[in-house]
Structure formats: C-alpha cells, structure tokens
Amino acid sequence: MNGVKHGGEPTKVSILGKDSITVDHGLWGSFVANDLLENLPSEVYALITDTNLGPIYIPKFRESFERSSSKCNRDARLITFEIPPGEISKSFDTYAAIHSWLGSQKFVRNGVIIALGGGVIGDLVGFVAATWMRGVKVVQVPTTLLAMVDSSIGGKTAIDTPHGKNLVGAFWPPQRNYIDLDFLNTLPKRELINGMAEVIKTAAIWDEGEFAALEDNAELLMEAFQAKGGLAAQRRDSEVSAFIKRLVLGSVQVKAQVVTADEREGGLRNLLNFGHSIGHAFEAILAPQILHGECVAVGMVKEAELARYLGVLSPGAVARLTKCISSYGLPTSLSDKTLRKRSASRECPVDDLINIMAVDKKNAGSQKKIVLLSAIGKTYEPKASNVADADIRLVLSPSVLVHPFSSVSLNTSCTPPGSKSISNRVLVLAALGIGTCRITNLLHSDDTQFMLTALGQLGAAVFSWEDEGRTLVVDGNRGILEASSSELYLGNAGTASRFLTTVATLASRSNATSTTILTGNARMKERPIGPLVKSLRANGADITCLETEGCLPLKISASGGFEGGEIELAATISSQYVSSLLMCAPYAKKPVTLKLVGGKPISQPYIDMTTAMMASFGVQVQRSKIEPNTYHIPQTRYFNPKSYEVESDASSATYPLAVAAITGTTCTVPNIGSSSLQGDARFAIDVLGPMGCKVEQTERSTTVTGPKRGSLKPIPEVDMEPMTDAFLTASILAAYAQPGADSSTTRIVGIANQRVKECNRIEAMKDQLAKFGVKCREMEDGIGVDGCCLDIQQPNESIHCYDDHRVAMSLSVLAVIAPRPVTITERECVGKTWPGWWDTLHQTFKVILEGVDTPKHRAVNGSIEQQKSIFIIGMRGAGKTTTGGWASELLGWPVTDLDTALEQELQMSIPDIVRGKGWDFFREEELKILETVVKEKPNGHVFACGGGIVETPAARALLSRHVASGGNVLLVTRDITQNIEYLNQDKTRPAWVDDIPAVWRRRRPWYEECSNLHYHSVATEQTSLTGMAEDFSQFLTLIQRKQHPLETIRDKSLSFFISLTMPDVSQGINILKEVVVGSDAVELRVDLLHDPASEDGIPTVDFLIEQIALLRLASPLPLIFTLRTRSQGGSFPDEADQSAMRLYRTALRMAVEFVDLEMTASDALINFVTSTRNQSITKIIASHHDPRGQLSWTNGSWIQHYNKALQHGDIIKLVGIAQNQADNSALANFRAGPGSSHPIPLIALNMGEAGKLSRVMNSFMTPVSHPSLPTPAAPGQLSAAEIRRTLSTIGEIPTRKFFLLGSPVAASRGPIMHNALFTETGLPHHYDRIDTTDISLIEKVIHAPDFGGASVTIPIKLAAMPLLTSISPEASIIGAVNTIIPIRSPSSNTITALIGHNTDWQGIALSLSTAGASSPSKTHPSPALVIGTGGTSRAAIYALHTMHFSPIYILGRTEENIKSLTSSFATSFNLIPLHASDPSIVSSIPVAPRVAVGTIPADRPIDPGMREVLCTLFERSEAEASSASPSGESQGAQASGIRVLLEMAYKPAVTALMQLAADHGWTTIPGAEALVGQGVYQFERFTGVMPLYRSARVSVF
C-alpha cells in the first residue's frame, strides 16, 4: 500500500453531485493523507478503528500523515482510538465511550473523523460524527468488501439497540470515501465471500448483464479467494484483480446513482435493501456467528421465493439466483450445514422473525415492505412492495398448514416443472457431449442444483443462463473430466448420486487430487448403491465405501474411464444403476455389453427413456434380440443437439391431476401426453380413469375431471411397476375411494423399489395415512389401502414427510379434503422436484395455506417414535444375559437370548449341535436367527447374542447396519481374568478349545467394529449387583435418549463439576463419595492418569475403560472426559492425535455424558470427535485455555475463540489468566456482552490467585476442587463449598430459613443434622424447630418471604396438605407429606407455589439397600413384610414396591385395619394380608420374606397374635436360609440368604421387635438410619445438593 503509481489517476465516482468516492489500489499508503490535508484541511484528525486493524494500519498512516503534513507545512494533529471489533461494539456504550474520548482530546467542530474499518466501524463512527457538536466531517475508509460496495456509501449511519439493528442513526454523508482495493488482499476468504452477497444483490436488482458476469466468473474468483496467499498473490494487472475492480466499481456506481436520486430513502433507495428485510431478521438472531452478508444471502433467496409465491417471479429466476449465491460459497437456506455449524444450529422461530421485521425502517406502520424481484436485474416496483404477514410467514416457516379445498367448481391448467429424470439425464449427456446445447424447461430443484454443481466441480462442462434464467446453455467438454479436490455433496439426491458415481470414474487426475469423494446427508448415506459399485469394481474401477459398505460416501479413484467390455449388473433394485452405466458407457476404454442379471429389471420405462435420450445425442444403443436384458453400447462421443426441451415431470403431474380427481374439479397438464418418454404419463389412463375420473389425453396434453366428491372408486389391483413414483398419489386417492360392493381396498403392486428411495415410502404412506384413519397393509411388493371416502378423519398430529418431496406433495393433496386444516412438516423438501408446489397449490387451486413452526414433539411413523432394538454382544460370561435382563426390566421390552432361541428352534442344546453338526452348521443357524430378528423385530426388543456371533462376517455386517440405521449394539465386557474363571466353570456351552485370551484378542476388533456402545463392569470390594444394576440403569437411560443431564444442570442457578486429579481412580475410590458432594458432574482428567502398563506415558485404552467403569460405579454423577494438552495447560502431548482419537473413541463408546474438546486441536481431531459422538448421548464442552495470558477480555481477542467453540460445542469453556481484579471485571463484561449472544451455555473464568473471583461469579458448571484431592486441577481453583460461602458473604445466595414443624419435636436431631450439612456445603441457611399444631401459625411460616423449606412430622403430616399448591405423586400415594418445598419466580424470587413431598420412603429404601436387602428383579421378585398398619406402613409399602419386592405381606392386629390399608393401594402393589388372629396363615406362604419393615409402636409390648405370627415367619425364614444352596451370582436378599429388619421406631435403641428378629438370626436396622436417609433426601430437595450420608449420620448418632 505504497500509493497510486506515478502517473496514474485513481478512479472517481460521483455521488450527490461531488466526486467524493475514490476507488483504486494503494490509496492508504500516501494518497489519503495527502488528499485530506490538501482538500479537507483541519487542525485535528481523529482516526478511529478497531483493535485488530489498529496495530497494522495506524503506524503506516501516522508516518504518511506526518510526512504529508510536513510537506504541506500544516500544523495538524492526528489522534487515534481503537475499539473492540465486531457487532457488539455498535452500541450505545461504545458510542458514548468515543464521545467521551473526543471530549478528552478537545476535538473541535472543524475536525475530521476518519472511520477505518468494516461496516461496524463505518456505521458507528459515522453516527458519532453526525452527533458530535451537531455534526462534524467524516471520512470513510472501508477495509472489507462488504463495506466497500455497500455500507460506506451513501451516509447511512447507525447503532444497534436491543430491539433491532440500526434503529438509532442519521443520514450523514461522508466528505470522502477512499476505497483502497489493496485492503482486500488481507481479508480472509470468509470476509471476501461475505462481501460478495452485496455485490450479487446489486446485480440482482439492477443489471442482468453484471449478474451474468458474476455467474460466469464464480469459479475464477473462488479459486483466487481459496488460493494460498489469497488475493495478495494476484498481480494488479491479473484477470482476477481487474474483475474485482469491475465488481466494486459497478456496485459503487449503482449505489451512488440510487443515493443521488433518493438520498433520504423515500422509495428508490429501498431497492438496495433486497434481501435485507428478512436477512436482518436472521442476523438479529444469528449474529455475530453468522455474518451480515451470509444472512443477506439467505434473505435474498427467501425474498425471491416470496416473489415466486406471489406470482411475480419465475421459478427459473429463483433457481438462478440461488445457484449464483451458492457458487460463491454463501448459504442459501438456514439448513446450510456450514451455517448451522457456525451458529450451533440456533433456531430462528418464525414468530421471532416476524416481530423483528416489524421494526424495519422501510415499513409503513404495521405494513411490512419487501423488495420483490420480477426478473434477474429487475424489481417488481421501483421501491419496496407491501407484503402481508401471512405470505412472509409461509415462506419463512418450516411447516405449512393446509386448509380444506373450498372452490365449488374449478377448471384450470397447470404446468409442472421439467422432469427430474429427464433433467438429470440431459445434464449428464450434454456435459459429456461435444458442442453447445440450449436446454429449456429444465427442472430448477435441489436435485438438479446438486447435479449442476457436481458436474462443474468435475470440469465436465461450462454452464450459463439465457432468457432470464429460462434457458441453460451447456458447453460440453467432450467427456474430459478431472477429479475434484472438494467433496461432491449431493444432499439426498439419489438420482444424482447414482449417475455421478459412474461419471466420476471417467475423471483423470487433477493437479490437486487423484480421487473424488461423493457424499450426502444422513439419509443419503443409508440409501443403497452397492450393485452399481460392485459392477464398476468388477470392471476395473477403484471405489471405496468410506462408511457403510454399499452406501455413500464413496471415494472414487480417477482412472480416465472404466474398462468396458462385458459388464453384469443387478438391476432389480433401481433402474438408475442401469442408466448410470448406459450413459457413461460410450466413454469406456472398450465398447460395452451391459447384461442385466438377477431377474426382471425394475422400472424398464426409465431404461428405455435413457436409451431414447442417448439417441437424441447421437449414440445408438442396441438392445439384444437374442440375449434377454442385454445392451450393446459403442465406444464413441455424444454430439450435442442445438436445443433440447425437457418434458414436464410426469410423476409431479400426478399431483395437480389428483387434486382435480379428489375435489371433483378439472385440471389440464398441457405438456404431458401419450407421446411422453415417461412411464408415469399413463397415470391418468391406468389409475384415474378406472377410479371414475373423466380422462382426455392427446399426444401432448392430459385433462382430468374428477367425479362428484366422495365418488372415487377403489381398484382391485393396479400394477404400478412402470410408474413406481406415482404410487404415493394413487395411495391417497385410494384412501379417499368410496367402499364398493365387493371391497373397499385398492391393491397397488410392483413398487418394491420404493422402500429404498428417499425413505421407505411404502411404510411412510402406511404410517401417515393412519393419521387420517386410513388402514393400510404392507405387501412384499406393494400396499393395500382401504378407502374411507367421506369418513376420512382429522389427523391429531402433524404429517411427517421424511424429507421426501413425493411424500409431502401426495399427502398435501389428501390434506385438501380433510375436515379441518392439516399441518405438514418439512415444507421445503418439495424443492427436490417442484420448489413452487405450494405456490401452485395456492395460486392455481386457491388453497389457503398458513406458515407454522414445526411442532416440537413430532411423531414418527404415525405414533410416538419407536426406539430401535438393542443387541448385546461380548464374550460368554461377560454379563450379556444379566445386562439383557436389566435392560428388559428398565425398558419394559421383551428380552431374547439368541443362543436359547437357537436351542429351542433346533430342539438341541448348543453342545449337542456343535458335536453333532459341527461349528460351521452352528454359525449358519446362528446367522439365520440373527437375520430373522433383525428383520422381524427391529424395534422394542433386547437381544443377548452368542459370544461368537462376530465370527461370521455377514453377522457383523447385519449388526453394523443396525447401528447405521440408528440402533444400538452394546458390547459388554468385564476383566478377562474374571471371564476366564467363569468360562472354566460353565458347562452349558461347548468347552473352549482355543486359548481364551487369544479368542478375546481375535474377536475384540470385530466386537468394536459392529458395536457403537461399550459397558464394562468392574469388581471392587464395595461392588454389589444392586450397585451394578443402578450403574447400568443410568447408562441405559442415557443411551435411550431420555433427558440429558445437561438439561437438568442448566435448570440450576448454580452448578459445579469436580476435577479429579488422582493418577488412578482405584486409589481414590474410598474418597470419591466425599469429594463429589455438591457437584453436578465429575471430570476425569485423562491427561493426569498414570497407567503402569503404558510405555509412553499415554494411558492405554484398557486402563481408560477401567477408570471410567470405576467412576460410573462409585458415583451416579455425569462424567466429563478431558484430555488437556500441554499447550493448554495440561499434560497430554500436543501432537499425539492418533492416541487422542483412540481415547476419545473409547470414551464416546462408553457413553460419557460430556467430552472436553480443545479448540486448538487439529481439524482432524475436532472432526473425528464431532462426527463420532452421538449428540443425544455425549455433549461437547468446546474449550479454549490461555495459560500464557496472551488474550484479553477487553479487546475482542477472545471473540474468535468463542465463535469457533460455538461451532462445535454444546457448552463453551473459555479460561484466561487474571493479573488483577480488573481482568475479572472485563471477563464479566464479556460474559454479559458477546458471551450472551447465543443460548449455548458459557463457562468463562480466569486462572490464578487473582482469578478466584471469576470462579465465584461463574454460575454454570464451574470446575472445582476438594481438600481431599491430591492437588487442584488449575491455579486458583476453589471447592464448591468455598464458592458458596463467598457467594453467601456477598449476598448472591440469600439466607433462607428452614423448619421442623410438628409436636413434640424438642428432641429431634433434625436441626443438628441440617445445620451441620448447611455449614459443610457452604450454605448460609438455618434450620430450626417450631413445636406446634397450630395450622394458622404454620401457614404464616411457610408463606414468609425468607422461607426455604420445612420438614413435617406428626401430627400435621396430613393437616398441612390443604395449605399446599400441589403434592408430588409419591406423597399422594403414601397419603402424607413430610417435606414442603417453595417454588420461586426466576424474575422476582418470590414464592409462587408450595409443593409437598414425602422422603420417608426414600429413607426406608436407602436403609434397606445399604444393608444388602434387595429384590432380584421385576420378573423374579422376592417377598417382603410390613409389620403394622399405621401411617408409616404406607411409606414402607411404597418403598418396598419401588425396590421391586412382591408380594408384600401386611401383618396387622385387625382385619379392618389391614383391609383399610391394602384397599387404598393399586393392585400392582400385590399386597397380601396376614391377620394376627390366624397364625396358621403362615403355612400358606410359598416363600417366607427375608426383608421386613416394622411400623408398630415400640413403647408397648408386641401384640401376642402378631408376635406368634412373627415367630413363625422368622423361624421359617431361618430354616429356608440355612437350607438354601449358595449362588454364584447372588441377586437380592432371597438368593443371598440375607435377612433384614428395619425398625421404624427410634426409641428405645433396641426394641422388642428388633430383639425378636435378632434372636432368629436377622440383621436389624434401627429407625434412626431411616431418619438419616429421609433427611439426606430432604436436604437434596431443600438445596439441590446430595450430602454425604456419613456426614448426616454423624449428626444423628
């Protein structure tokens, strides 16, 4: 930037009558200073820029300024000021700060302010200049492309407010505008692309010629933007530099012309806001992560779609605009994957967008104004047009509400878009051909857009548009293609993916790569392409399936064409495989003979279409007359015809014809007739005619008149194999057919291939038609539909479209005759073949449509989404059967042991099968069983597989496919030595021949290959099967996609995670329960682990598995996996990516709830973690640490790291260094400013002693330490208790009062316990007794402003209930409350509700389980006994029921008391009375209970009758326990022989009941234990903190 070359004059542009805009290279170096001093003389110049630009450009300008000032002999002063970068600075605060600075610098009225920067600087500084001293001169020096072509020109200045962008501002034209094109050399690619949105906008509204130039030069510019060195590598006289200057000048001249004609935005200047009305609404929600130009790009597409919906813009123009925007790497929809990644998939609710648009400055009152295009380069009006909210809402909405058809009579004509099938074929043929071909009526859709883009990436042809986008000009490249270095992303375009698979094999190596990758969205990756890939591989093509075999993504080596010769292809799944090979066959290395094998080819008309079209391009395909389904294709080239008109899509034509049929109206499709290439053209003749419609078809047109409403007739059977895509339309007509005399069913056959389209269309139609009350039956190759006619029902939920255009359009036809409006989701999926379908339905058929947001809880497959079955694999003895049983109980799903199923199927034991038939036979039968259950029971089952299931490749493939389809395959393991011990004892399976560890080593890679989850069980001294079951329950709840712990944590006002720094979890297992108290998650610092088996200091996978399993067993809290690298302040090597990936993969498979992912990691590692994790199971904490203190919270340097973290994280974690308290204040400002711009939760804090306050003030998931840990994980780390104490001291945690309410309560130990726990956890609260039975006093206490909660005891457990707002379900069943919890308003902190709970049952359950008393399972429960029928007995019954004890015997003194108690519980509690008056009843009990809860008074002798019954029971249980054989895997009290009595009375220390039980060998538990237990759960209710049981117990005993 050393100034304009000597002798060259910069280009000037006139605006408002002055040549005040200067455009050229090198202006900043000296020209600007010279021009200012000579032509805008002043005594002071104020240069204002941001902290990114200041250090780079201020020194050079100061040097130039001083040199020019000296040369001109002017005594001028240059002052500078820097502000943080980004939209956040466009605020009142920054505006005021600049004013304050100007005042401090004594800036006078004749001074000149220089705005150096992008749009934010220009808008803000311009407004400052407009208001300082009522206006001073301002000079704009834009440094971004967007500012150069738009915001710096015309004098519009403003700042933002919380209500919207640019709402406070002024028109203040700059005195000079210096556009130095050299600034573009320093811009990153994204900023350049961002600016291109405004360039495209200007051309779109003003100049079709410039728009065409943009289309033609997109590849040139994008290559320059992406090249190493960017634009800086371009010579000033290069083609790129010249074109950029042309673009900038062109945009500047247009804007200058418009501003001159309409400076104050009275009308014409509104045109410059094309794309901005909607774009600004997006920006208000998505900024700063999504840039202005990116939002405007999406806004332009939406406003063009709005113009199309209103009938003023052609679909071709919309497609052309969309393609141009896309070709510059800009987003065209909110679903753009890069946009969603950068914005963390932030939603833009339609209501929010409409409300934001309501404050647009262009509006006239409540009437919204939007710039509407009428063509590329033209606007509908020379100003923004009035548009109704309803129309805007429809275009912005993801779903559409379709109102019932209301026209009495209608005779209309409808021309569907071009055929998708023909469009895709003609694009391939013309691209491969020689010469220029002009294609008209091409389908403008997502599919063809993907095809065009991909062919362009391969260099197959040059594409351009004529006739305002109505004609596509294709200059074919004669079949000369080059491999693409960037992926060919094809969305869900199945046709494009299949055609391009073969096309890509024709490519030669490029300078950049020797392979091409084809990929698509998630559904595309499930759709089969295996037969085509197999045939191409057999013919010499090198194709690799990168994920699932036989599906995308594919990596295709560039070989310049496949071999040719004889090729065999299975064509029973898709005719597109055949067409793909046929079209590319002329370019094979030898003539091709294509043989279609495996049976009758599917969709023969589409194959015939392909050969007919090839003939149009000069290649004659010979179909063999001797060999069936054989084609001979010569080695030649295509010669492009001068023009080619694409027929309208015959499949799409079925929808308007069906509307006529179903509503009794008339519709003509003018360009589909009997001469059509498409098989679907016969739909009217073969389907609508037989159903009772009047059909008139000529060679070139089809007219259908429907019968009287409700008169459509079912067709007994129709073979739709020649027109399979039209079966969906036939299905909805069949649904509305009138039941006939013989049958109401229409059978549609020949459509088996529709199961592998965009979705399983047969299943989709069955499930969605069910919502209308229509019964359907799936058949092997079709569907049967029972007609409902006028009895069609109103769906109770929205219609799901599976992202399938044909599902959406067909069901929209049925919606028009529903009784009331119907919501159809995924409205935009029709863009695949008919982007304007909703426009047509509204404009042509006068159907009223409303835009609606997609319902949050949508159903799939016609009801609540069914969850996929779970397959459990692992070595024999690893615990598959046990975990399968647990899973079955927890989910309520049937469990099947596949080995047992095989034995039942063959009526032989597995050892006998192996001995008699051999291992090969066994594996074959095992595979058959697996294939059957995968097919027949894909949902809602649990399957425990045999240990060797993975020995068979086909079985592994089946399991892998189950995972790929969204199911879970769970690998269960335990320590191999324990496995060996078990296997050596197990005689139910064949004896092991191979070395067991060797078998494990062989199978382990297979287990991991076909499973996506891993559960490892560990054995410790403290391990119990109950504890393992609880651990597995937590694991299963998470993987079944129930509420993630993050949602619970986010609801808390204060949350923490404990950072473990122990080198081995097993060494600290005894202190874990203590250190996790008060935390909401546990962080495993994997980088700090010490693995004795590691040779390089990096923990091994097996060691990590053990560590995670131990943590899971020791604590129920969610786990955070952290691998902190050395550069980020940890111990893990920075370059050990492969080791990191192995550890991350292990953690993800073990379903850790959170992983900390450093944003400084390599792209490969970040992409690995983000693509591997299951989003519903594992959340990412995207972290950036600054241990060296290189970043500042004040200058915006953290924003780039925040934005990067936002792209990847569900949580953002930013950690800096504090040198003083000012750094903590700056962090707080960052959190309140940029850190609050997005709902993604933020952890932001400073390390170091000075940073402790930032830890205190960070309310969400603050990392904490504990005194019992070896060392804190980071400098300045505090404990959770310390943070709470500090917050209490400064008033951030208000002191609350808690009470024990009842009488007598003087002797209660509750206050001692709760107050001790408050102190231990750092809370300021106080717990006291109120000895009373006065309800009015209690009511006053619980409504006091500082009331925190209460324990309720006798005699008011029932009396207090009417005072409460609501009662929890368990308290309702028990019939009493013992805990009162106030609910407070988040805004006012006042009490809004009082909730009653009961924790007595939890204390009972905890006491029993701690003593080892448990029931084996729901399916094999143990009996239990409740002694007494008083109030406490109800809590005992509820506790035993939740522990799965059954039956529960109730021993009472009187029959009346027992009946009163048992009758108040549901029959599922399985309560059986035992009367004290009848001791003989004990003999009728099958098994004596070994778990009992005593609830009788202890201050009097036991009733003689009850005592006799108890003695009999105790004696019998003693006898049964002594005779029970030991079990290897004890499950519950019954199996283990443990006999436990919990005495609920507190005094005396040993009651008569306890003594009686002890005399018979029972373990007795004093009631004080239950008191502690219920108090622990009360404390958790009070505070959200689960205290340490030991701490609570110490206070009571």
Side-chain angles (χ1 to χ4, degrees), residues 990-1248:
W992 286 85
V993 177
D994 297 333
D995 174 55
I996 296 174
V999 173
W1000 164 243
R1001 287 192 296 271
R1002 182 180 77 245
R1003 289 180 180 174
R1004 181 174 183 172
W1006 295 335
Y1007 286 136
E1008 293 177 352
E1009 168 195 332
C1010 56
S1011 62
N1012 61 318
L1013 295 165
H1014 184 177
Y1015 178 76
H1016 184 77
S1017 60
V1018 289
T1020 69
E1021 293 180 3
Q1022 293 82 18
T1023 302
S1024 69
L1025 208 62
T1026 301
M1028 291 174 63
E1030 292 172 353
D1031 172 42
F1032 183 78
S1033 172
Q1034 181 182 349
F1035 177 88
L1036 190 66
T1037 298
L1038 184 66
I1039 68 172
Q1040 286 303 106
R1041 299 170 178 81
K1042 296 183 179 177
Q1043 187 179 45
H1044 193 277
L1046 175 59
E1047 302 309 312
T1048 304
I1049 295 173
R1050 289 191 70 169
D1051 287 341
K1052 302 185 75 170
S1053 59
L1054 193 63
S1055 56
F1056 307 96
F1057 67 82
I1058 182 76
S1059 299
L1060 298 184
T1061 54
M1062 52 188 67
D1064 185 339
V1065 172
S1066 65
Q1067 297 173 7
I1069 201 78
N1070 294 324
I1071 65 168
L1072 272 174
K1073 289 187 182 299
E1074 176 186 354
V1075 301
V1076 302
V1077 169
S1079 291
D1080 302 280
V1082 180
E1083 180 184 41
L1084 179 63
R1085 281 290 300 270
V1086 179
D1087 58 301
L1088 300 180
L1089 293 177
H1090 176 68
D1091 180 1
S1094 172
E1095 297 179 356
D1096 56 6
I1098 296 175
T1100 61
V1101 165
D1102 286 341
F1103 187 72
L1104 176 61
I1105 290 171
E1106 194 81 7
Q1107 298 291 294
I1108 292 175
L1110 283 168
L1111 265 182
R1112 285 261 190 238
L1113 197 58
S1115 170
L1117 293 180
L1119 298 187
I1120 302 173
F1121 170 95
T1122 297
L1123 206 58
R1124 186 73 64 237
T1125 58
R1126 289 169 186 155
S1127 63
Q1128 289 276 284
S1131 300
F1132 196 80
D1134 286 278
E1135 306 302 325
D1137 270 16
Q1138 291 303 313
S1139 296
M1141 287 181 190
R1142 284 194 293 272
L1143 296 172
Y1144 271 111
R1145 181 175 183 269
T1146 300
L1148 294 172
R1149 285 172 52 80
M1150 295 189 75
V1152 297
E1153 290 86 343
F1154 302 94
V1155 293
D1156 183 296
L1157 180 59
E1158 296 176 351
M1159 294 296 95
T1160 54
S1162 68
D1163 288 344
L1165 180 57
I1166 290 175
N1167 291 336
F1168 173 80
V1169 174
T1170 55
S1171 62
T1172 303
R1173 63 106 176 214
N1174 184 317
Q1175 293 185 27
S1176 64
I1177 295 176
T1178 303
K1179 303 299 182 183
I1180 290 176
I1181 301 174
S1183 68
H1184 186 94
H1185 292 67
D1186 180 30
R1188 297 177 182 83
Q1190 297 173 329
L1191 303 176
S1192 169
W1193 299 107
T1194 60
N1195 65 6
S1197 54
W1198 273 103
I1199 291 177
Q1200 61 177 315
H1201 303 293
Y1202 175 86
N1203 286 343
K1204 183 174 183 180
L1206 188 63
Q1207 296 180 33
H1208 303 285
D1210 303 288
I1211 298 167
I1212 298 171
K1213 184 184 180 192
L1214 305 178
V1215 181
I1217 290 281
Q1219 302 298 333
N1220 49 52
Q1221 292 308 312
D1223 291 329
N1224 295 327
S1225 298
L1227 184 153
N1229 291 335
F1230 178 90
R1231 182 187 286 112
S1236 65
S1237 65
H1238 201 282
I1240 297 290
L1242 172 66
I1243 304 168
L1245 45 89
N1246 286 322
M1247 290 185 287

Side-chain angles (χ1 to χ4, degrees), residues 914-927:
V914 173
R915 280 193 296 269
K917 305 280 189 174
W919 278 108
D920 289 344
F921 175 82
F922 170 73
R923 293 293 177 215
E924 289 173 6
E925 295 301 312
E926 181 182 52
L927 177 61

Side-chain angles (χ1 to χ4, degrees), residues 1317-1339:
L1317 293 176
F1318 286 146
T1319 300
E1320 184 174 301
T1321 54
L1323 292 167
H1325 311 315
H1326 185 71
Y1327 186 103
D1328 206 350
R1329 307 177 186 89
I1330 296 181
D1331 197 320
T1332 185
T1333 60
D1334 184 347
I1335 293 299
S1336 63
L1337 173 60
I1338 292 171
E1339 185 172 16

Side-chain angles (χ1 to χ4, degrees), residues 586-598:
Y587 295 83
K589 296 173 183 176
K590 293 184 292 187
V592 171
T593 295
L594 178 60
K595 294 186 174 182
L596 308 183
V597 298

Side-chain angles (χ1 to χ4, degrees), residues 689-733:
M691 294 192 82
C693 296
K694 178 183 176 183
V695 178
E696 300 171 76
Q697 190 171 67
T698 68
E699 283 193 359
R700 299 287 295 168
S701 72
T702 302
T703 299
V704 169
T705 300
K708 180 183 176 183
R709 264 187 149 181
S711 302
L712 286 174
K713 295 182 292 189
I715 307 175
E717 183 169 298
V718 55
D719 184 355
M720 297 193 72
E721 193 271 334
M723 45 179 159
T724 54
D725 280 358
F727 102 87
L728 299 94
T729 317
S731 297
I732 62 99
L733 293 171

Side-chain angles (χ1 to χ4, degrees), residues 458-470:
L458 292 168
V462 175
F463 302 102
S464 58
W465 294 93
E466 292 180 349
D467 191 22
E468 296 184 347
R470 295 183 180 87

